[in-house]
Amino acid sequence: MVANGQNSGGNGGGTWGFASLIRRKQVDSAHVRREGHTQLARKLSAIDLIAIGAGATIGAGVYILVGTVAREHTGPALTISFLIAGIAAALSAFCYAELACRCPSAGSAYHYAYICVGEGFGWLVGWALILEYTIGGSAVARGITPNLALFFGGEDKMPAFLVRHTIPGLGIVVDPCAAVLVLIVTALLCIGIKESSVVQSIVTTVNIGALLFIIIVGGYLGFKNGWVGYELPSGYFTFGVNGMLAGSAVVFFSYIGFDSVTSTAEEVKNPQRDLPLGIALALSLCCILYMLVSAVIVGLVPYYALNPDTPISSAFASYGVDWAVYIITTGAVTALSASLLGSLLPQPRILMAMARDGLLPSFFSDISERTHVPVKSTITTGIFAAALAFFMDVSQLAGMVSVGTLLAFTTVAVSVLILRYVPPDEVPLPSSLQESIDSMSLRFSDDIQEVDYNKSNDPADSYHSQYLHDKGDASLGSPLIEKRVSQDEQKEKMRRKIAGWTIALLCIGIVILASAASAQYLPSILRFALCGVGVLLLCSLIVLACIDQDDARHNFGHSGGFACPLVPFLPVSCILINTYLLADLGTATWIRVSIWLLVGALVYVFYGRTHSALLDAIYVPSAHADEIYRCSSAHQA
């Protein structure tokens, strides 16, 4: 029947139970746009996306991490750590690229999770990303102040209204400069996406110029003086391979930010071509720059002589090039400014996407008719981030930023597996199309009766007859064809069931394995036992690799874009790496994050669940959705 699964995600008692968590929305398309949602302006090119991605990714990490990681983990092998971390980030980038092409709408990982996994998990990811971008933006703004002060000759020489000071009696250090910077970036984002991307391009170009200066001048000094940092008795791998891998886990977070490209998917002129290009080139550019800078710095001076706070400046100062500190500081300030813009850009679009779906008040979904930007969401985000940057030193909350990113990376990889093996076979349609759905149901019912008036009333028989009718009159009268179709359907149902359970077992196995591997407080015997269970469940990857992928994946969303290679091995590797990093963040971080997620769960239960756009949706087989829309348009005409 056309209206099969009518209540599978929407109304009735199911809303109070598990059904509301697993209902999935339709890929945003021309049908959704006709329902009255104002769209963002499509103005971005591949060059704009590269600037946004590189600007959001190349933050202060490269100016600080090279010293800390080299001294504590890697020694001269820091370059290899950056390469391994870049490859790990590329796994997520491949998954993002496919989903961004198929589902080019605002919302990034929240949007993909809602379509492929379900409303509950989509809400969880969206709520975590809100926390990530707010704290991330505030932390970056706080980091700009001390670097900016160097241009004034110290913080005591800055204008009085920008100087940090402590509130008497409370011990709170307020940072007016950070708050002002957040408000300036917020105003820029309200002007328009194209204007914002132009400024981001300029700032990112200055930052890359500073990094090229470090590479070229540092390389000259290194060749001139014999690369003393590499001539050590301990060799290249000072801390061994384990130290190099530990360093890779730390510098992995230097690559966080490229996913901000996908948040602008609805504003890209040619998303199928430009989104994967922008993601790939931004990530490749960052990886190359990171490797070259780290190779130069650890070669100029021995790793143990690097200053952990200002490693690059101290390396140049050891050769008497003190004036270089101004160029390096300029690079740090522009890197932080670009990172601040990259942190504040995606959040209003995630809020807008959640509000469009009814999970947040419609206030956040309003788009300015003049600038085609979600101005209300942008202003709200900016004010909140500015207040946080003004009153709080959020550096101790930095781990919470990683939770949102890693959770998003993991979800995107899981979504790719679902899309390839068990893509949604039902589409939610608004209740306003009930008349068209009923008309289609009646028509198919009449056709089935014409085919065989004496046919059994069994639903399976009705479905087979309907399938035969769709295939054409040539197949109608042939019991052999009908029998074969029935067998094919049963095989397909079995394949989907096996694939679904295999993906679930894979994810459970990865969680057990990653948790046991990072839980140093557990007894050794228990850890080994849990790791054994995790590895055993992980072996279901072999089963998944032997299962055929679903043919419906070719018609899911927008076709013709990038396809993630090496499925299922690449997405599973991505899930494993990100889950291990999540488990390794520490108990204190997870306690803080759990409080935020609990607040989010309450918001969803008391508002989002009951205001969801899918509350009264009618689920129909995907094959009939377009025909129902055409029928509806004919009725309106």
Side-chain angles (χ1 to χ4, degrees):
M1 301 296 289
V2 176
N4 184 35
Q6 179 170 335
N7 297 322
S8 61
N11 42 31
T15 322
W16 293 94
F18 185 63
S20 63
L21 299 177
I22 61 173
R23 57 192 177 196
R24 297 184 283 193
K25 71 172 185 176
Q26 184 181 5
V27 176
D28 289 349
S29 63
H31 302 315
V32 180
R33 287 195 286 273
R34 281 201 294 266
E35 289 168 17
H37 292 142
T38 305
Q39 298 295 292
L40 302 173
R42 293 195 178 275
K43 294 184 177 180
L44 298 181
S45 64
I47 300 298
D48 297 319
L49 296 180
I50 294 169
I52 291 172
T57 305
I58 306 176
V62 67
Y63 293 94
I64 298 172
L65 276 182
V66 290
T68 305
V69 176
R71 286 170 60 94
E72 298 179 2
H73 297 289
T74 67
L78 177 62
T79 306
I80 307 299
S81 293
F82 270 113
L83 174 61
I84 293 173
I87 293 172
L91 300 180
S92 295
F94 280 124
C95 298
Y96 264 102
E98 173 162 352
L99 290 173
C101 289
R102 290 185 179 274
C103 317
S105 293
S108 188
Y110 155 77
H111 182 60
Y112 312 144
Y114 200 166
I115 291 171
C116 296
V117 185
E119 183 176 282
F121 207 77
W123 168 268
L124 180 72
V125 172
W127 192 252
L129 287 176
I130 290 172
L131 177 71
E132 173 201 340
Y133 291 127
T134 303
I135 293 181
S138 302
V140 168
R142 278 247 172 183
I144 295 178
T145 303
N147 286 281
L148 203 58
L150 293 175
F151 291 108
F152 293 92
E155 285 198 38
D156 54 332
K157 295 183 180 179
M158 290 179 69
F161 69 93
L162 295 178
V163 177
R164 286 180 177 177
H165 57 274
T166 305
I167 299 178
L170 296 177
I172 298 175
V173 179
V174 297
D175 192 339
C177 182
V180 169
L181 288 169
V182 171
L183 294 176
I184 291 173
V185 171
T186 302
L188 173 64
L189 291 173
C190 289
I191 294 174
I193 185 63
K194 188 63 179 179
E195 292 77 6
S196 302
S197 68
V198 168
V199 173
Q200 181 78 315
S201 300
I202 295 170
V203 174
T204 302
T205 301
V206 175
N207 179 25
I208 292 175
L211 293 176
L212 290 175
F213 166 82
I214 294 169
I215 294 166
I216 295 170
V217 177
Y220 169 77
L221 294 173
F223 281 112
K224 183 179 178 181
N225 295 279
W227 297 106
V228 296
Y230 291 120
E231 297 177 354
L232 300 173
S234 55
Y236 189 72
F237 295 95
T238 304
F239 295 90
V241 175
N242 288 337
M244 182 196 67
L245 293 176
S248 298
V250 177
V251 301
F252 174 82
F253 296 102
S254 299
Y255 291 96
I256 288 176
F258 72 86
D259 55 315
S260 62
V261 170
T262 60
S263 68
T264 64
E266 197 173 302
E267 296 157 285
V268 180
K269 294 177 183 177
N270 187 347
Q272 273 68 42
R273 183 196 67 188
D274 293 345
L275 280 170
L277 196 62
I279 292 172
L281 292 180
L283 191 60
S284 301
L285 177 64
C286 294
C287 186
I288 292 169
L289 289 173
Y290 285 164
M291 290 177 64
L292 291 175
V293 168
S294 61
V296 167
I297 296 306
V298 296
L300 286 178
V301 295
Y303 70 92
Y304 50 79
L306 288 171
N307 186 317
D309 296 322
T310 56
I312 299 177
S313 300
S314 65
F316 276 83
S318 65
Y319 288 90
V321 193
D322 295 311
W323 53 268
V325 68
Y326 294 103
I327 296 177
I328 296 167
T329 303
T330 300
V333 170
T334 53
L336 287 166
S337 300
S339 185
L340 175 60
L341 195 151
S343 294
L344 296 180
L345 173 67
Q347 183 170 334
R349 285 150 181 81
I350 291 175
L351 290 173
M352 180 195 70
M354 297 174 78
R356 277 179 178 176
D357 296 329
L359 304 183
L360 288 176
S362 58
F363 168 86
F364 294 106
S365 64
D366 289 347
I367 295 176
S368 169
E369 294 183 1
R370 186 174 63 86
T371 63
H372 294 280
V373 168
V375 173
K376 293 180 181 178
S377 294
T378 304
I379 292 174
T380 304
T381 298
I383 292 174
F384 190 74
L388 199 60
F390 182 78
F391 287 108
M392 278 190 67
D393 182 6
V394 292
S395 58
Q396 68 270 24
L397 305 179
M400 298 174 72
V401 175
S402 303
V403 171
T405 300
L406 293 173
L407 187 61
F409 284 6
T410 305
T411 303
V412 167
V414 173
S415 298
V416 169
L417 291 178
I418 292 173
L419 187 154
R420 291 297 190 91
Y421 290 96
V422 281
D425 55 357
E426 289 185 337
V427 174
L429 300 183
S431 56
S432 59
L433 296 178
Q434 180 69 63
E435 185 179 348
S436 299
I437 294 170
D438 291 340
S439 174
M440 289 287 293
S441 299
L442 184 61
R443 202 188 83 191
F444 274 114
S445 177
D446 292 340
D447 289 337
I448 291 167
Q449 290 175 8
E450 286 180 20
V451 171
D452 189 350
Y453 182 81
N454 297 317
K455 195 65 141 170
S456 167
N457 289 327
D458 184 76
D461 292 334
S462 299
Y463 185 82
H464 299 156
S465 300
Q466 174 191 327
Y467 185 93
L468 292 172
H469 173 78
D470 291 343
K471 285 295 182 182
D473 294 338
S475 65
L476 292 179
S478 176
L480 292 178
I481 294 178
E482 185 173 351
K483 183 178 180 181
R484 187 189 51 166
V485 169
S486 176
Q487 291 174 345
D488 290 344
E489 288 173 4
Q490 292 299 327
K491 286 181 180 178
E492 177 60 15
K493 287 180 181 178
M494 182 58 66
R495 187 205 61 78
R496 286 179 64 92
K497 185 177 291 186
I498 294 173
W501 277 106
T502 304
I503 293 172
L505 290 175
L506 263 174
C507 293
I508 294 170
I510 288 173
V511 170
I512 293 174
L513 181 61
S515 302
S518 62
Q520 310 246 341
Y521 53 86
L522 289 177
S524 298
I525 297 177
L526 183 58
R527 285 184 68 193
F528 280 122
L530 289 173
C531 285
V533 173
V535 170
L536 188 64
L537 292 175
L538 203 56
C539 290
S540 56
L541 174 62
I542 300 172
V543 177
L544 191 62
C546 295
I547 299 174
D548 292 332
Q549 295 184 28
D550 198 310
D551 290 335
R553 72 187 188 278
H554 299 298
N555 302 319
F556 184 85
H558 298 252
S559 58
F562 177 82
C564 179
L566 301 175
V567 176
F569 301 103
L570 190 150
V572 170
S573 301
C574 177
I575 297 169
L576 182 60
I577 292 170
N578 293 317
T579 304
Y580 175 76
L581 292 174
L582 274 171
D584 206 39
L585 285 175
T587 306
T589 296
W590 275 107
I591 290 174
R592 297 190 189 105
V593 171
S594 297
I595 295 172
W596 174 255
L597 295 180
L598 179 61
V599 173
L602 294 175
V603 173
Y604 175 73
V605 168
F606 291 105
Y607 184 88
R609 179 181 56 81
T610 56
H611 291 77
S612 171
L614 300 184
L615 190 64
D616 297 316
I618 302 167
Y619 283 76
V620 303
S622 304
H624 302 300
D626 288 335
E627 195 165 355
I628 291 172
Y629 274 114
R630 284 195 297 270
C631 181
S632 174
S633 300
H635 280 309
Q636 291 175 359

